[in-house]
Amino acid sequence: MIEFLVFVTCCSVAYYYLTFRRSRKRLYELAARIPGPFDWPIIGSLHLGVGVTKSRDIFEYMTQFLHKLELPTRAWLGPFLVVAFDHPEHVAVILNSTHCIRRSFMYRFFRFDKGLLMTPDPQHWKLLRKRLNSSFSPLVLKNFAPAFNECADKLVTSLDKYVDQGTFDLLPKVSEFTITATLLNLFKVDLRAGDNEFKEKFAVNAEKLWTLVWRRIYQPWLHLDFFYQFMDRFQEEKQRIRMIRDFSHEISAARDSTRINNNSEHPPQEDPPNAEVLIDRLERMAFETQEIDQETFLSNIDTFMFASNDTTSNVMSTTLLMLAMHPEIQERVFAEVSQVIPTTNFIPQEALSKLVYLEMVIKESMRLVPVGSILGRICEKELTVDQWTIPAGTEVVIPIFKMHRNKAVWGERSEEFDPDNFLPERCAKRHPYAYIPFSGGIRNCIGMKYAYMSLKIVLAKLIARYRFRTELKLEQLKFEPSLILLIVNKHMVRLERR
């Protein structure tokens, strides 16, 4: 009897498996035309990397694995098809396709899926992007310079105590600046003024949350919420999300108070719609046009607190670390800043375009250490890319870290720090999608110009004041993926006053 039940069970499983395969015949036919590693039945390519458990080890393993492969390549994660592309011509087609706007499944684990950055829903994203685009227009950006200068001056002053005091991690200190600047520019509030301890805790909390979530992504058995909710890390995740959301509530309450006071003391004077900052646009959508609900309103505060803080502070700290590793390049930046801006008491927006070499240095830092090491999109309809057709439902992966170090594009010294990679004549010879630190195409980063403005003002002030040193070497850096790419060694520097 037992043998008969085993036989029936095996036959049933085989029948349903074959039926499932037949229902996806087109998917398997197209996938078979794309090269890839050997796939086992049912589990697909999940055997790759067995025994590698830590996320930083997985990142290093997958980076080395992808570097050995000629892309595109496909892999099966159980029943899910994943295809990786890294040729700039292919990446351009994917990122500009209306079939590839939907975010990867992994973004749902970051919870804030109603914010512009995280939302997987293309229609929701289109609405938010259309309404919020003007919040980062040149007309709005020019008004951010005073707050950037004010916050940068406070950062410069706060770093004085570290001069000749040995090595320290720069990132938490820089995060205090970016949080304050975000509050002033994007949300028009001055919360927690002087409370640098809270701001540092907030930044560290966000970093630990994104790392916690990313480690879950690398452990497929934790993808099911039913199992995950019984784990200690789920409770930790909830606590860290709560801190971010509590701060968003605090921002919202401060805005409510500001509006009430302004309306009682002065006649309401609304900015023209094309001059509204981010919080103005969000409030209009939430309270006037009712295009978004309260959860979406708060999720976008969460999202932009992350997007304008974590990303910018990491790029800023990484750029300074790179300059500390390359003192001759640092002195060249200092010479340019001294020539373009004789006094750094106030750096006007108009001067930033003249800091050409500084911009090259920033770009080179983002080439070697891109904020996002990988992009993921869902291909919702069949899409032809060169000689291949991506089946509908495929998870498309773009390994930015690999692209930015591709010797075929960047030369034999692609692993070295060389700002001359961004000389105009070199850029003209390179495909524009060979370098995508802010993503690209339809769903590119809305705050790219905001980030460059912030970076240039702060870096110019810091380089004018201090000389940065470090014992770290570029080849020693270890990386761990998170929502952003983290340097395991930290941004360890020493300061000398110029």
Side-chain angles (χ1 to χ4, degrees):
M1 184 64 179
I2 295 177
E3 290 82 357
F4 176 73
L5 290 175
V6 171
F7 174 76
V8 170
T9 300
C10 291
C11 289
S12 299
V13 170
Y15 172 77
Y16 283 110
Y17 176 70
L18 293 173
T19 302
F20 175 73
R21 296 234 358 149
R22 278 198 300 270
S23 69
R24 308 201 317 164
K25 181 180 178 182
R26 175 70 174 170
L27 174 69
Y28 288 109
E29 286 178 351
L30 295 176
R33 301 171 190 172
I34 303 173
F38 176 77
D39 299 305
W40 291 94
I42 301 179
I43 67 169
S45 309
L46 288 174
H47 61 286
L48 296 173
V50 170
V52 185
T53 55
K54 294 183 179 179
S55 60
R56 67 185 63 168
D57 295 336
I58 291 174
F59 178 78
E60 186 173 349
Y61 171 83
M62 291 305 297
T63 300
Q64 294 175 355
F65 179 72
L66 287 172
H67 268 75
K68 297 174 184 176
L69 291 177
E70 178 66 27
L71 302 189
T73 189
R74 58 106 184 99
W76 288 95
L77 302 183
F80 303 106
L81 176 64
V82 179
V83 181
F85 288 87
D86 71 341
H87 289 233
E89 298 83 359
H90 300 161
V91 170
V93 173
I94 293 164
L95 294 183
N96 285 288
S97 171
T98 56
H99 301 334
C100 295
I101 297 177
R102 185 178 291 275
R103 286 284 199 183
S104 163
F105 80 95
M106 65 184 179
Y107 284 90
R108 77 175 179 87
F109 296 117
F110 292 102
R111 303 296 183 185
F112 305 114
D113 56 358
K114 288 193 174 184
L116 179 69
L117 178 66
M118 307 288 194
T119 181
D121 183 355
Q123 296 307 314
H124 185 61
W125 173 82
K126 287 177 182 177
L127 171 66
L128 290 172
R129 185 61 183 258
K130 181 179 179 180
R131 296 289 187 265
L132 300 180
N133 257 337
S134 62
S135 300
F136 295 91
S137 68
L139 181 64
V140 176
L141 287 175
K142 72 177 183 180
N143 296 320
F144 292 161
F148 280 141
N149 274 272
E150 177 188 344
C151 296
D153 289 337
K154 290 179 179 178
L155 174 61
V156 169
T157 301
S158 72
L159 291 179
D160 274 345
K161 62 185 177 184
Y162 294 98
V163 173
D164 300 325
Q165 295 300 311
T167 302
F168 69 101
D169 184 7
L170 185 62
L171 179 59
K173 311 308 171 188
V174 170
S175 293
E176 295 169 12
F177 154 81
T178 52
I179 290 174
T180 303
T182 299
L183 292 171
L184 290 173
N185 281 333
L186 300 189
F187 299 112
K188 295 167 76 170
V189 294
D190 189 11
L191 289 178
R192 304 276 184 168
D195 191 353
N196 292 335
E197 183 179 351
F198 170 82
K199 291 173 183 176
E200 184 171 335
K201 285 181 180 178
F202 183 85
V204 171
N205 175 73
E207 178 181 309
K208 289 184 176 180
L209 172 61
W210 309 137
T211 303
L212 186 69
V213 174
W214 197 266
R215 287 172 180 171
R216 180 187 179 190
I217 291 172
Y218 276 104
Q219 297 173 310
W221 56 91
L222 297 180
H223 287 188
L224 293 176
D225 290 337
F226 176 78
F227 296 111
Y228 185 63
Q229 65 182 340
F230 295 107
M231 301 192 66
D232 291 340
R233 65 170 71 180
F234 175 68
Q235 299 304 319
E236 180 186 350
E237 179 184 305
K238 286 203 304 182
Q239 290 174 0
R240 297 194 179 283
I241 289 174
R242 190 178 301 117
M243 182 179 184
I244 293 175
R245 177 51 58 88
D246 286 347
F247 196 39
S248 294
H249 278 294
E250 195 172 332
I251 293 170
S252 179
R255 283 290 299 172
D256 290 340
S257 176
T258 300
R259 279 199 308 276
I260 292 170
N261 291 335
N262 286 344
N263 289 340
S264 63
E265 297 174 9
H266 308 283
Q269 294 180 340
E270 294 187 355
D271 294 330
N274 60 349
E276 291 178 331
V277 301
L278 176 73
I279 192 64
D280 294 326
R281 299 297 296 172
L282 288 173
E283 288 173 345
R284 186 183 293 275
M285 294 176 71
F287 308 131
E288 293 184 26
T289 63
Q290 280 82 47
E291 293 174 289
I292 60 175
D293 57 19
Q294 180 72 3
E295 176 60 28
T296 303
F297 175 73
L298 290 170
S299 284
N300 276 282
I301 296 178
D302 298 333
T303 295
F304 280 96
M305 277 303 302
F306 152 71
S308 58
N309 171 49
D310 291 38
T311 55
T312 307
S313 59
N314 269 273
V315 173
M316 201 175 292
S317 301
T318 299
T319 302
L320 290 168
L321 180 63
M322 293 295 168
L323 289 174
M325 292 177 181
H326 303 86
E328 71 287 353
I329 295 176
Q330 183 177 171
E331 293 310 305
R332 186 172 168 185
V333 172
F334 172 70
E336 180 185 66
V337 170
S338 301
Q339 180 180 1
V340 173
I341 312 169
T343 173
T344 55
N345 292 335
F346 182 85
I347 302 177
Q349 184 192 21
E350 296 74 24
L352 301 182
S353 61
K354 300 176 184 177
L355 296 173
V356 177
Y357 191 67
L358 175 58
E359 182 170 323
M360 291 165 59
V361 167
I362 294 170
K363 288 181 175 179
E364 179 68 354
S365 297
M366 289 191 288
R367 180 184 74 83
L368 287 173
V369 190
V371 175
S373 60
I374 190 168
L375 277 178
R377 296 285 190 272
I378 301 294
C379 185
E380 298 189 278
K381 294 184 180 180
E382 287 186 10
L383 177 66
T384 299
V385 179
D386 204 343
Q387 68 192 71
W388 299 279
T389 299
I390 305 174
T394 300
E395 178 89 21
V396 180
V397 170
I398 299 171
I400 296 177
F401 189 88
K402 178 180 187 291
M403 288 177 61
H404 283 187
R405 295 173 180 238
N406 187 348
K407 286 183 170 55
V409 175
W410 301 95
E412 290 302 314
R413 297 175 59 237
S414 65
E415 302 280 343
E416 299 177 22
F417 184 78
D418 182 10
D420 286 351
N421 279 317
F422 292 93
L423 288 168
E425 56 270 26
R426 292 196 189 181
C427 292
K429 297 177 183 178
R430 198 164 53 235
H431 193 285
Y433 280 76
Y435 176 72
I436 50 171
F438 293 100
S439 185
I442 297 173
R443 199 163 178 169
N444 66 343
C445 176
I446 192 174
M448 179 170 61
K449 292 180 180 178
Y450 176 92
Y452 274 122
M453 186 177 182
S454 171
L455 289 164
K456 285 187 175 182
I457 289 176
V458 179
L459 290 172
K461 284 179 176 284
L462 290 174
I463 292 298
R465 176 86 164 208
Y466 304 115
R467 186 176 285 109
F468 291 80
R469 305 291 193 191
T470 187
E471 279 70 46
L472 285 171
K473 304 296 182 183
L474 181 57
E475 60 272 15
Q476 295 173 336
L477 295 186
K478 301 293 182 181
F479 302 100
E480 179 169 16
S482 178
L483 188 53
I484 57 177
L485 187 63
L486 303 176
I487 297 178
V488 176
N489 317 61
K490 305 294 183 183
H491 299 80
M492 305 304 293
V493 299
R494 290 180 286 109
L495 292 186
E496 299 173 3
R497 199 185 309 280
R498 288 191 180 274

